[in-house]
Every structure is written in C-alpha cells, then in structure tokens.
Amino acid sequence: MARNIRFREALREAMIEEMERDDRVFLMGEEVGHYQGAYKVSEGMLDKFGDKRVIDTPIAEGGFAGIGIGAAMVGLRPIVEFMTWNFSAVAFDQILNNAAKLRQMSGGQFNCPIVFRGPNASAKQVGSQHSHAMEHFYATIPGIKVVAPAYPADAKGLMKAAIRDDNPVLVMESETLYSVKGDVPDDQDAIPFGKANVVRQGTDLTLVAYSRMTLVAMEAAAALEKEGISVEVVDLRSLRPLDEDTIVDSVEKTHRCVVVHEGFPYGGVGAEVADRIQRLAFDALDAPVLRVTTLDVGMPYNAKLEQLCIPQPDRVIAAAKRVLYRGQA
Amino acid sequence: MAQTNSHTHPIQSVESASPRDVPGAKGGTGGTQAPKAGAGIEHLVALYRQMFLIRRIEEEAARAYAQGKIGGFLHLYIGQEAVGVGAMAALQPDDYVITTYRDHGIALAKGMSPNALMAELWGKGTGCSKGLGGSMHMFDKATNMLGGYGIVGGHIPLAAGVAFASKYRNDKRVTLCFFGEGAVSIAGFHEGVSLAALWKLPIVFICENNEYSMGTPMSRTMSVEDVTSKAVGYGIPSDRFFADDVLEVEERIRQAVDRARETSMPTLVEVRTYRFRGHSMSDPAKYRTAAELEDRKKKDPVIRTRAKLLSEGYEEKRIEALEAEVEAEVMAAVKFAEESPEPDPSLLEATTYDGPFAS
Ligand SMILES: Cc1ncc(C[n+]2csc(CCOP(=O)(O)OP(=O)(O)O)c2C)c(N)n1
C-alpha cells in the first residue's frame, strides 16, 4: 500500500522513523523546534522527541554546523537543518574543511556521520541572496555525498539512507517542492545512493534532471510527445555518487541528451554529466549534449525576469529540438 | 547636557540612568529634553512626518502583498519607526547607512523617495534597484543608503569596510550599521565589530533589539541578554536604551555619531524596540501572546509622538493637514508603482558585470 503525502511529510517521516530507531540521531537548526520549522518540515517533532533531540539554535551557521561535525566525530548522528542552503555559505568552511576532510586527514580513524539538509535553489521572488542553487559547489568536494530528490518517496528513502550513512551527506530539498504530493509506499525503506531513476521511457532523446527540474523535464517531455517526439527522462536523485551507468544506457538508446538543472551554466552538474557522456558514450552521440540551466546572471526579484532566469519547459523543449536538429537553433 | 557621555571602557562608568534606560544599561545621557519651542517643535513635527510616512507606506505594502502585487518576503518595520528616524536625524546627509532585510523604514528615513521604494516592492524598473532587488535589497547611492542585506550579519563587516574607507580618505563621514539582536550570534558580527574596534573606525553599530529573531525570543538566543556587554571585550563604548521616544533616540545616537566623527571611535548601541507584525508577512507570530502585543502597542512610537505634539501645544488640525499630505504622497507612490513599466531583460547582463559580459 502507498499513501499520497507531501514532500515535507515524507522527509519528516524519514527523520522520525530514524530517530525512533536510533537514539544517537538528533535534529538541530534555526526554528526547527518551537516554531515547528521555517518550512514546517519538522512540525510536531519537538513534541515527540523533546528539546534534547530537537534543538533550536541561534543564527550561527558556522557554529552549529561545526558543533554537529564535532558531535558526529565522537559517535552521535546529527541532522543539521539550514533554513535554506543559501545560508550554508556561512558554514561552507566547516563542511569543506572539516566534515569532508576529517576521515582522510585522520587516516580513516574518524568518520563524520552527519546529515546537512534544507531547502535549496530558487523560491519565489526572494532576490539574489536567497535564490542560489548550491548543490554544485558541494558536489565538487570529495568526502561528502549529495542527493537531490524530486518525489516524496525518493525524499523519504534518500533521507533514511543519508541518516544511516557513515559519511557526511547533504540533502538538497527544493523549496518549491515541499507541498507537492506523491505516493510513498507504506514500507518505504532507505534508497541506496548513486542510483538514478528512469522516470519516463523514450527513444528519441534523453533528458537528465534532478530535484524540481525533473518535474520541468517531465512537463517538457509530455509536450514533446504531442509532437511525436519520444522522450526518456532520467532523474539523477543522487549527484555524488553519480549513476553513470543509467545515463550512458539511456544515451546509447536515444543518442541525444539535454541536461536540465537550476545551477549556473559555468561548471556544475550539467558540465559533469556532459563530460561523462562524451567520455563514456561518444560513439553513441548523434548531437552535442546541451545544458539548460539558470541564466548566467544574478537572480532578479522581478517575477517575469525571475521566470526568465530559471529553466522552464519551453527552454527544455527548444533545447530538445536543437539536439534533434528540428526547429530553429 | 547634564552628563558627559561615557566611556572608553563601559563597565567603568555606570551613570545615572533615565527611567527609559534598559535595566543594567551602562552610560548614556539619561532622559530626553522636551522639544524646544519654535524650531524645536518643528523638528519634532518633521520626525513625526517621517515616522507616519514609514507607517503608512508599510501598511499599503502589506495590503499590496496580500493582493499578490508584491512578491517574495516582506519584513515590516511597523513599531520600530522611532529607531531609524531618530538615528538618521543625528546624521549629516552624506553619512553612510547599511542595514538588513528589514530595510524600508531605514531607507525612507535616509531619504529614499517613496516612489522609488514602492516601485521596488512592485518589482518595477523605476524602483531604487530597478526591480532587481525587491523588499530586502533597498539601495540608493544618491542618499548613501548602502543597502539592505538578506544574510543575517553578512553586512556587518561591509559596514566596517565603509567606515574604513572614510578613515582612509579622512572624509569625516560616519557609518551607521543596523542589525537585529539575532545577528549578534553570527561570526560576521564578531569579526566586523572586532576589526572596527581594533582599527578605530568611524562607525556606530546599532542593534535593534525587537526581542525576537524570527520565532525565537532573545532568552533562547543569548546567554547574556545584554548585547552591549560584548563591547567590553572589544574595548569600545556602548549605550543601551528603549526606543520609546524618537528624540531620545536621536540624542543618544548623536553622541555615538559625534564620537565616531570626532575621535573615530566606534560605539555599540543596543536600542530596545518591538515589532508589531510577525517576522515577515508569512509569519502569524503565534510565539507571543496577544496580551504582550497589546501591551507593547501602548508604546506605539508614532501615536506617542503625535500625542506629544498635541501636548506641546501643536494644533491638531495642522497634524491632520500633514497626515493628509503624507497620505497623498503614499497613494501617489502606490499609483507610481502600479503604473511603472516592468524592467527590461537586457538589464540582467548589464547589472551582473560592469563592462563586457564575462561568461
Ligand atoms: C545566515 C542566515 N541565517 C538565517 C537566516 C534566516 N533568517 C532571516 S531573518 C532571521 C531572524 C533575524 O532576527 P534578528 O536579527 O533579531 O532581526 P529582526 O528580524 O528581528 O529584525 C533569520 C533566522 C538568514 N537570513 N541568514
């Protein structure tokens, strides 16, 4: 059996079930307790677990990220919420220079089983300092894992896996997905990292996406189907480790690929995927791999310009037609 | 002034506190003088006008937000007007100001036009930041309003940098840096104030302590509920008082501004205030009681200032005339915002880099 629940509920269920299973797990962050979470992901958890395990922090990202890392080194399993990933930049040093490097610096003596999570990328008209898609800054760093689910079931499964993992894991939740519903199996267990999902089968072209952009890719695919174009959509789910096999298998079937993500075009996940395809499936390609990304500019507040910056189905459709050598450039 | 103001070392100088001083406050002058007749009362009228303008602009902004005409986050300053208006009255026009996302009142008090502010909230091309910044990012170079910032505490080192430039150029300008008590926990606060103190920069750090950071009361964010106690560790003067009276805010901030201008010594000021609305428009503020809010509303700085004008003998019909004038100005700003054009997409690249686009 499955229940149709919201993305935020799926994340909450994962945290609750893991906290019930393992008393070393605790949640910490700004407004996660008394206020019930800035985006209500942790609603009700303070009542359930008390303030020893659901901990409100002051506005001190560097400090509480570091506290989480220290606690993880000596055996606890913290879940640290950033109110948005935009603010994680304040704690970037802790994640990069401590969480990611501890195990190697100590010659494998110390693990750092911590989860950093929170909403990522654009919301609606919140301006340049609140709209960053941060995943590609983190996905470049060895020593941490980065996941970005698109559906509630994946959110629950990946969150459970993140909490059980002995490495630092970053869970990127799109702010605009929290209230989106999806079916979650009653017995949803942890989903292993590094496994992409083919969420739509097709033969003419592959769209690779993750997080909310998977939904955008699905919308584009449905529109393209009406024009007789058969689109396969690969939802990466996990950015590091990255599932090369599923991407390559799909491209070998369709021979064309467009990567869609909310990060900037310079470097990033799209560039990484394109590079792997040209190395691993060069002979299968009938067209260059294209990327649809957020425009290479700061995020504007104005609603129309914001929509222009963030990938929309029409831009995905145009890119798809380009790799199919249909329509104009 | 009866008392000299304190203190290169605040704990050495506990001076007689006015009734408005926060318990345990160190330093300050104690008490406000009644506005002087004639020019004095006109000054208070001018401050009242600004406070009333800010109040009315934000009430209209709240309405427009509810109608979906303003997007994103909208953090209102309603209840805190006496802080920004009083502080700005202590400045010279070319002094610098920098603040957080709760920036409308500060920007208006610094001299931004209501039209430019309202159009920015509407995301229009005629807005102060051409519709690209929105509510949290009010910038106005012409009035040396150096912006509102969205990352808590991130602007505090910037403020020290601005003051550094003033000292470097010896231009005798002072920088006012506003932030909430929530910002005191973050590294940027410590690093910014610490450097400003070390290098004796001409700056006044003004913590607008409205008792809550988002949904969290200060009792759960600070081990010592006295922001100015930090000043001891930096070796800089401090002051601490309630923002009940706009003239007192002006007077107390002026002392810090004068100190910055004359001796290039920074000051850490904690002004106790209260916001009547939630943290932002999406916050129903369930974490505080209705009784608490009602109690604080009794000290509404706008209403108090109006009452004070009346008690000083200022005629009610002159106040009403002034209010009508402000009302017209606010409605004109709404109309201006409504009718202004959307920004052009060509702005996106042109505002990302100066000069050729570096892709
Ligand atoms: C580094 C960072 N962390 C978290 C936030 C989210 N946030 C925005 S405002 C706020 C509360 C700030 O409270 P305070 O400093 O007291 O200012 P006030 O809103 O009361 O004026 C929080 C947690 C942020 N903007 N930046």
Side-chain angles (χ1 to χ4, degrees):
Chain A
M1 281 295 287
R3 291 155 307 124
N4 194 251
I5 59 173
R6 292 182 202 286
F7 198 89
R8 64 159 64 80
E9 291 159 356
L11 292 167
R12 185 189 310 144
E13 283 184 4
M15 290 193 285
I16 289 175
E17 286 170 24
E18 293 307 302
M19 282 174 71
E20 282 169 342
R21 205 178 57 85
D22 182 348
D23 66 8
R24 296 169 303 171
V25 181
F26 64 97
L27 174 67
M28 176 168 69
E30 289 154 13
E31 312 288 353
V32 297
H34 290 84
Y35 193 74
Q36 310 297 326
Y39 294 91
K40 303 288 172 258
V41 175
S42 57
E43 193 165 27
M45 288 178 66
L46 175 68
D47 281 349
K48 204 171 180 62
F49 296 105
D51 60 8
K52 182 183 170 204
R53 297 182 72 195
V54 177
I55 304 160
D56 283 323
T57 69
I59 309 167
E61 276 78 5
F64 65 75
I67 284 178
I69 295 165
M73 278 180 81
V74 293
L76 298 186
R77 303 185 78 86
I79 307 170
V80 172
E81 173 176 307
F82 291 121
M83 195 178 286
T84 98
W85 275 101
N86 290 269
F87 312 149
S88 78
V90 180
F92 190 68
D93 170 58
Q94 288 297 335
I95 300 173
L96 166 68
N97 283 317
N98 289 333
K101 298 178 178 176
L102 263 168
R103 186 172 157 78
Q104 206 208 25
M105 288 191 297
S106 67
Q109 296 178 81
F110 286 98
N111 274 348
C112 187
I114 189 168
V115 176
F116 293 102
R117 53 154 291 268
N120 183 43
S122 61
K124 281 203 171 99
Q125 280 196 273
V126 292
S128 199
Q129 291 189 324
H130 284 70
S131 302
H132 244 101
M134 298 292 289
E135 68 277 5
H136 86 245
F137 297 100
Y138 291 109
T140 61
I141 303 169
I144 54 189
K145 300 182 180 179
V146 183
V147 297
Y151 298 101
D154 291 340
K156 182 165 182 182
L158 290 169
M159 181 63 75
K160 281 176 156 263
I163 297 168
R164 291 180 204 171
D165 201 286
D166 282 330
N167 297 285
V169 182
L170 281 47
V171 184
M172 306 278 176
E173 306 154 7
S174 170
E175 189 161 332
T176 42
L177 284 180
Y178 280 138
S179 53
V180 175
K181 285 184 162 183
D183 283 342
V184 177
D186 288 341
D187 58 351
Q188 179 65 58
D189 202 1
I191 294 174
F193 296 152
K195 291 236 180 304
N197 223 2
V198 180
V199 288
R200 183 189 167 104
Q201 302 277 346
T203 51
D204 295 334
L205 143 93
T206 300
L207 294 177
V208 174
Y210 57 89
S211 192
R212 193 176 71 83
M213 288 299 118
T214 300
L215 309 193
V216 170
M218 290 296 271
E219 223 180 300
L224 286 162
E225 186 181 68
K226 295 205 177 98
E227 300 186 37
I229 298 165
S230 163
V231 182
E232 182 143 307
V233 178
V234 174
D235 173 17
L236 290 176
R237 301 197 292 192
S238 152
L239 310 181
R240 187 182 188 113
L242 187 66
D243 182 357
E244 291 180 344
D245 293 346
T246 300
I247 299 168
V248 167
D249 286 350
S250 180
V251 171
E252 283 177 344
K253 179 165 127 195
T254 64
H255 310 291
R256 297 162 205 271
C257 182
V258 174
V259 192
V260 192
H261 65 68
E262 269 199 80
F264 294 128
Y266 198 112
V269 176
E272 183 66 30
V273 171
D275 171 70
R276 301 218 189 180
I277 293 172
Q278 67 85 20
R279 276 193 288 121
L280 302 170
F282 185 73
D283 291 339
L285 282 176
D286 283 343
V289 177
L290 291 188
R291 290 183 275 156
V292 177
T293 68
T294 288
L295 296 191
D296 198 17
V297 295
M299 187 66 77
Y301 162 73
N302 175 274
K304 288 188 181 127
L305 296 186
E306 183 182 56
Q307 289 298 294
L308 189 73
C309 286
I310 302 165
Q312 308 293 337
D314 59 339
R315 269 169 64 202
V316 180
I317 291 167
K321 290 187 176 170
R322 230 174 115 190
V323 300
L324 288 156
Y325 302 113
R326 291 206 208 172
Q328 57 256 60
Chain B
M1 271 302 102
Q3 288 138 353
T4 51
N5 72 65
S6 46
H7 30 268
T8 37
H9 216 288
I11 43 172
Q12 290 171 350
S13 57
V14 177
E15 296 176 21
S16 66
S18 86
R20 290 198 187 87
D21 280 344
V22 177
K26 303 170 281 294
T29 54
T32 308
Q33 301 200 320
K36 292 165 211 81
I41 197 108
E42 287 308 326
H43 178 61
L44 187 60
V45 169
L47 298 183
Y48 175 68
R49 190 184 196 287
Q50 278 193 315
M51 290 165 69
F52 186 72
L53 172 73
I54 294 168
R55 176 68 57 93
R56 288 292 301 119
I57 288 248
E58 289 205 315
E59 283 168 354
E60 288 310 312
R63 190 197 312 270
Y65 189 87
Q67 294 168 346
K69 293 184 173 168
I70 294 174
F73 294 132
L74 189 68
H75 309 87
L76 299 180
Y77 199 55
I78 290 177
Q80 302 185 207
E81 293 91 342
V83 185
V85 169
M88 241 55 87
L91 291 187
Q92 300 293 327
D94 61 1
D95 287 334
Y96 297 111
V97 168
I98 188 165
T99 189
T100 66
Y101 48 83
R102 200 177 297 285
D103 55 358
H104 313 148
I106 304 279
L108 287 169
K110 189 68 177 85
M112 180 181 287
S113 88
N115 281 6
L117 183 122
M118 204 59 108
E120 188 60 34
L121 293 175
W122 252 255
K124 295 298 183 72
T126 51
C128 61
S129 300
K130 298 192 169 69
L132 304 179
S135 165
M136 297 191 286
H137 307 299
M138 294 289 170
F139 286 78
D140 187 22
K141 195 171 180 188
T143 59
N144 279 344
M145 171 64 199
L146 301 182
Y149 294 79
I151 308 295
V152 168
H155 68 298
I156 298 176
L158 259 62
V162 172
F164 176 91
S166 286
K167 187 166 184 179
Y168 187 93
R169 289 194 299 244
N170 195 24
D171 63 14
K172 293 289 170 198
R173 293 185 194 180
V174 173
T175 299
L176 290 195
C177 174
F178 293 87
F179 49 88
E181 84 286 355
V184 173
S185 299
I186 208 159
F189 167 83
H190 166 68
E191 293 171 355
V193 179
S194 173
L195 285 173
L198 180 68
W199 291 337
K200 299 213 176 352
L201 303 178
I203 185 166
V204 183
F205 296 102
I206 303 180
C207 175
E208 293 190 69
N209 184 345
N210 61 17
E211 300 186 20
Y212 292 89
S213 55
M214 221 162 187
T216 309
M218 61 175 162
S219 59
R220 290 201 288 112
T221 63
M222 291 192 274
S223 56
V224 178
E225 289 174 42
D226 172 354
V227 171
T228 59
S229 64
K230 316 260 182 217
V232 180
Y234 304 118
I236 59 172
S238 65
D239 195 8
R240 191 163 182 247
F241 54 92
F242 283 109
D244 295 351
D245 181 326
V246 65
L247 287 173
E248 178 170 14
V249 176
E250 175 182 355
E251 176 56 33
R252 309 263 298 235
I253 298 291
R254 173 165 290 123
Q255 292 170 30
V257 166
D258 288 350
R259 183 183 301 127
R261 203 179 318 275
E262 283 153 25
T263 65
S264 195
M265 178 56 108
T267 305
L268 177 58
V269 182
E270 177 180 1
V271 187
R272 286 287 298 276
T273 179
Y274 201 79
R275 58 165 159 73
F276 296 165
R277 305 292 183 106
H279 169 70
S280 68
M281 287 295 287
S282 58
D283 169 23
K286 289 188 198 143
Y287 42 80
R288 62 184 185 191
T289 62
E292 177 182 306
L293 180 60
E294 281 321 302
D295 190 45
R296 297 318 171 90
K297 280 191 172 169
K298 289 189 193 130
K299 293 184 172 182
D300 185 323
V302 179
I303 293 173
R304 281 174 71 117
T305 308
R306 193 181 198 277
K308 184 163 182 172
L309 280 172
L310 287 173
S311 73
E312 299 281 335
Y314 201 76
E315 282 176 66
E316 179 142 35
K317 65 174 194 285
R318 291 179 70 190
I319 300 179
E320 284 167 358
L322 171 149
E323 287 168 349
E325 198 182 289
V326 169
E327 196 62 39
E329 206 180 333
V330 172
M331 295 327 285
V334 171
K335 187 162 186 284
F336 175 80
E338 190 83 53
E339 291 172 358
S340 284
E342 299 273 332
D344 193 90
S346 65
L347 273 174
L348 290 173
E349 287 197 1
T351 52
T352 298
Y353 289 106
D354 188 358
F357 196 77
S359 59

